[in-house]
């Protein structure tokens, strides 16, 4: 079903960023400002003509990521069963699956971040030849140039040094030099960013987190967050079993990492890779500008799942077979979550295709389209066949582009303004007439009398409204 769901807004930005030449991709990425360019440059190596093809590289990176997890686990833990089970946890993980099905950089960031973590741990155990140092620098460099949240890796590494500094002073100095080299391309990128006249960072939608958000993040990254336990017929009764298995494994894994912190630096590093970025981003988001979005924490996923596996392994030593039972419950719950989500089409974030088909069927001569932003227009018209219909978008509740022809009916394509930083699929339902931080809300409020209630239609992430405007736009007036 990789090509079934419509592209959602972030994927539309991917499409726009990769159109044209490599130089144009760099320019567009700089203009956007909130991303680094490696993923978009790599996409130039692949065909991108359809939704399926645009998403396919992310799937390939996700598959490579699962194989890499097994290799890393085998090299670090010297246990084939541990490595195979680690691969299973990632292969069935809903969070990782959804991000690997998205035409975005998440699964590629996962690969580079995992490699950077692995080579750091190899260096930490005294395998410090030139080849390992080079691979550590290159993987760190690639991660930083894939997304800013790759900074979680050096943060966790630096915190770990606070426990080892008396014994690792020389290694720490060499590590600092390696990081200075790895960050050089990012510094060049930041200089280019500083020369941009206008930056559209695009993070204003992210709400400030509360104490519940880290809990929901762990929920999302273990069994997949779908809005919580519901009381209607769609309740997923099996999810608590997977959560309990995950919480038990994670608690025991953290205990093991802290208890053996002097002898097992691998698990201690996973602990800090999980804790340090989550705490820092949470504090910054509450105190300054909110950056707290679950999908940015993909760099933390190896730490969480491997610590869970370490906990199950320890439980199996205490009571034979207990860890295996918990792992089986966890994987089955994840499999059910993925199956149900795909079966209900809840993986469709924004169903532009169905919305476009509905308007195509119901349109009349003289109708027009109205959107909140130009990117919404681009997303909708990707699946809309009618090229003759007038179209415009809003900014500060004013129509910015004049209708050229007489218009008496306006189809309002209202993208869900409700921010959900945890769900990877469809967002919660919203009321288009309730107050939202959206220019469309003001316009709809002012034209409420003209809304044709029988024509209102809801799709995943989108509500379509038909507004009869009378003579307001009859002569092409704004």
């Amino acid at each position: 079903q990789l090509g079934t769901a419509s592209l959602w807004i972030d994927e539309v930005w991917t499409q726009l960023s990769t159109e044209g030449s490599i130089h144009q991709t760099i320019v567009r990425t700089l203009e956007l400002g909130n991303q680094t360019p490696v993923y978009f440059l790599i996409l130039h190596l692949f065909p991108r003509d359809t939704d399926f093809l645009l998403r396919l590289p992310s799937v390939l990176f996700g598959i490579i990521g699962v194989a890499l997890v097994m290799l890393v686990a085998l090299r670090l833990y010297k246990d084939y069963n541990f490595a195979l089970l680690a691969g299973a946890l990632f292969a069935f993980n809903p969070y990782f699956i959804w991000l690997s099905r998205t035409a975005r950089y998440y699964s590629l960031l996962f690969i580079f971040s995992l490699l950077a973590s692995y080579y750091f741990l190899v260096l930490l155990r005294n395998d410090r030849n030139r080849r390992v140092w080079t691979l550590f620098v290159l993987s760190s460099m690639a991660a930083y140039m894939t997304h800013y949240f790759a900074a979680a890796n050096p943060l966790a590494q630096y915190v770990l040094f606070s426990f080892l500094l008396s014994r690792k002073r020389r290694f720490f100095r060499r590590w600092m030099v390696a990081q200075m080299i790895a960050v050089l391309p990012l510094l060049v990128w930041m200089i280019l960013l500083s020369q941009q006249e206008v930056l559209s960072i695009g993070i204003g939608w992210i709400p400030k987190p509360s104490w519940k958000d880290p809990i929901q993040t762990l929920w999302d990254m273990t069994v997949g967050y779908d809005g919580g336990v519901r009381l209607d017929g769609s309740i997923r009764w099996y999810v608590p079993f997977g959560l309990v298995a995950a919480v038990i494994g994670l608690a025991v894994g953290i205990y093991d990492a802290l208890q053996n912190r002097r002898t097992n630096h691998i698990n201690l590093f996973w602990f800090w890779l999980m804790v340090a970025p989550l705490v820092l981003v949470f504090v910054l988001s509450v105190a300054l500008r909110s950056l707290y979005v679950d999908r940015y924490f993909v760099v933390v996923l190896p730490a969480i799942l491997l610590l869970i596996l370490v906990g199950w392994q320890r439980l199996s030593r205490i009571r034979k077979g207990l860890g295996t039972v918990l792992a089986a419950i966890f994987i089955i719950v994840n499999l059910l979550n993925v199956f149900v989500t795909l079966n209900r089409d809840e993986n469709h974030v924004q169903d532009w295709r169905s919305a476009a088909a509905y308007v195509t069927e119901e349109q009349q001569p003289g109708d027009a389209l109205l959107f909140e932003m130009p990117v919404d227009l681009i997303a909708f018209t990707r699946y809309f066949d009618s090229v003759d219909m007038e179209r415009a978008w809003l900014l500060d509740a004013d129509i910015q582009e004049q209708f050229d022809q007489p218009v008496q009916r306006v189809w309002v394509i209202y993208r869900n303004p409700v921010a959900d930083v945890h769900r990877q699929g469809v967002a919660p339902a919203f009321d288009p007439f309730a107050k939202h931080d959206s220019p469309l809300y003001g316009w709809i409020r002012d034209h409420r009398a003209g809304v044709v209630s029988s024509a209102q239609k809801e799709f995943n992430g989108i509500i379509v409204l038909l507004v009869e405007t009378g003579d307001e736009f009859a002569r092409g007036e704004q």
Side-chain angles (χ1 to χ4, degrees):
Q1 300 181 23
L2 196 61
T4 303
S6 310
L7 299 183
W8 61 292
I9 289 299
D10 281 17
E11 293 179 305
V12 174
W13 283 119
T14 297
Q15 173 209 336
L16 295 174
S17 297
T18 55
E19 287 180 348
S21 65
I22 290 178
H23 176 263
Q24 290 172 316
T25 292
I26 294 175
V27 169
R28 290 194 186 104
T29 310
L30 281 169
E31 290 173 348
L32 192 58
N34 63 350
Q35 296 156 15
T36 43
V38 163
Y39 168 74
F40 303 106
L41 295 177
I42 288 177
L43 282 192
H44 280 272
L45 301 175
F46 297 88
R48 306 177 302 281
D49 300 333
T50 65
D51 295 354
F52 178 92
L53 291 175
L54 190 66
R55 292 176 174 133
L56 186 58
S58 294
V59 176
L60 298 178
F61 298 145
I63 294 171
I64 293 171
V66 173
L68 184 61
V69 163
M70 290 189 283
L71 179 62
V72 167
L74 180 60
R75 294 282 180 86
L76 294 178
Y77 292 93
K78 312 297 183 184
D79 185 331
Y80 277 94
N81 290 331
F82 185 94
L84 287 171
L85 192 51
L89 294 190
F90 285 85
F92 288 99
N93 181 260
Y95 171 85
F96 190 56
I97 289 173
W98 303 142
L99 294 186
S100 298
R101 288 170 52 87
T102 301
R104 299 294 282 170
Y105 42 76
Y106 306 114
S107 53
L108 182 65
L109 175 62
F110 176 86
I111 290 175
F112 291 142
S113 296
L114 181 59
L115 283 172
S117 295
Y118 168 68
Y119 286 117
F120 172 75
L121 291 172
V122 171
L123 291 169
L124 194 62
R125 70 184 184 192
N126 294 320
D127 296 342
R128 297 173 194 162
N129 56 57
R130 184 177 299 177
R131 172 181 168 275
V132 176
W133 276 111
T134 300
L135 291 172
F136 171 68
V137 169
L138 292 177
S139 56
S140 299
M141 186 183 294
Y144 303 153
M145 291 303 291
T146 301
H147 196 268
Y148 300 113
F149 262 65
N153 271 305
L155 173 64
Q157 293 165 14
Y158 183 82
V159 173
L160 183 65
F161 274 120
S162 66
F163 291 86
L164 309 174
L165 198 54
S166 61
R167 291 172 287 164
K168 303 283 185 180
R169 290 183 183 275
R170 184 182 178 190
F171 176 38
F172 176 71
R173 290 193 293 268
R174 296 183 68 182
W175 175 84
M176 286 291 293
V177 172
Q179 289 291 358
M180 291 171 63
I181 297 172
V183 83
L184 284 176
L186 183 61
L187 291 177
V188 174
W189 183 257
M190 298 300 289
I191 292 172
L192 293 175
L193 275 179
S194 68
Q195 297 173 353
Q196 298 295 305
E197 294 183 4
V198 179
L199 289 177
S200 176
I201 301 300
I203 60 174
W205 66 272
I206 306 175
K208 287 187 179 296
S210 70
W211 63 270
K212 297 179 181 178
D213 285 275
I215 298 173
Q216 292 172 301
T217 295
L218 292 175
W219 182 334
D220 188 23
M221 298 179 76
T222 52
V223 298
Y225 182 75
D226 66 339
V229 179
R230 298 181 292 270
L231 298 177
D232 57 17
S234 62
I235 187 171
R236 299 187 180 180
W237 56 267
Y238 48 84
V239 168
F241 294 99
L243 282 173
V244 169
V247 169
I248 292 173
L250 186 59
V252 177
I254 291 174
Y255 175 79
D256 185 272
L258 296 178
Q259 184 187 45
N260 300 302
R261 60 188 180 277
R262 297 186 183 280
T263 57
N264 191 332
H265 298 153
I266 295 174
N267 292 337
L268 185 61
F269 172 72
W270 296 136
F271 170 77
W272 285 118
L273 182 58
M274 177 184 69
V275 171
L278 285 170
V279 171
L280 179 62
V281 173
F282 181 86
V283 171
L284 291 176
S285 298
V286 170
L288 300 172
R289 166 74 74 173
S290 184
L291 305 168
Y292 197 100
V293 181
D294 279 5
R295 54 185 180 269
Y296 297 162
F297 290 116
V298 68
V299 296
V300 178
L301 185 63
I304 294 175
L305 294 189
L306 289 176
L307 278 177
I308 289 173
L309 191 50
V310 167
W312 290 339
Q313 189 180 53
R314 177 162 179 156
L315 287 173
S316 287
R317 291 197 297 267
I318 298 172
R319 186 176 181 85
K320 187 175 182 180
L322 178 57
T324 304
V325 171
L326 292 174
I329 292 172
F330 184 74
I331 290 174
I332 291 171
V333 168
N334 282 352
L335 178 60
L336 286 171
N337 232 356
V338 172
F339 175 79
V340 171
T341 299
L342 290 174
N343 190 53
R344 295 178 178 174
D345 291 333
E346 292 179 0
N347 62 306
H348 295 215
V349 181
Q350 292 146 4
D351 195 356
W352 300 104
R353 182 181 281 106
S354 295
Y358 172 66
V359 175
T360 300
E361 183 179 348
E362 300 294 330
Q363 67 176 324
Q364 296 179 9
D367 287 358
L369 293 165
L370 182 61
F371 303 87
E372 179 183 359
M373 299 171 60
V375 68
D376 298 321
L377 186 153
I378 294 171
F380 181 85
T381 53
R382 182 179 177 91
Y383 309 99
F384 189 58
D385 294 330
S386 178
V387 296
D388 299 327
M389 190 180 295
E390 293 288 313
R391 54 203 70 183
W393 59 85
L394 289 176
L395 186 63
D396 299 327
D398 293 323
I399 295 183
Q400 296 298 298
E401 198 172 82
Q402 184 173 334
F403 292 130
D404 296 327
Q405 302 296 326
V407 170
Q408 291 194 345
R409 298 200 322 169
V410 176
W411 290 97
V412 180
I413 315 299
Y414 197 174
R415 174 164 54 91
N416 192 343
V418 178
D420 192 320
V421 300
H422 302 293
R423 302 189 207 200
Q424 307 308 320
V426 62
F430 73 102
D431 180 358
F433 304 108
K435 187 174 182 180
H436 295 292
D437 186 18
S438 166
L440 272 178
Y441 161 72
W443 193 90
I444 292 171
R445 177 197 59 204
D446 295 340
H447 297 82
R448 179 71 182 268
V451 174
V452 181
S453 58
S454 61
Q456 180 175 329
K457 193 78 170 178
E458 298 184 16
F459 305 94
N460 279 17
I462 301 167
I463 289 181
V464 178
L465 300 171
L466 178 61
V467 180
E468 294 179 341
T469 58
D471 295 329
E472 182 178 356
F473 303 114
R475 292 175 300 280
E477 299 174 354
Q478 287 195 350

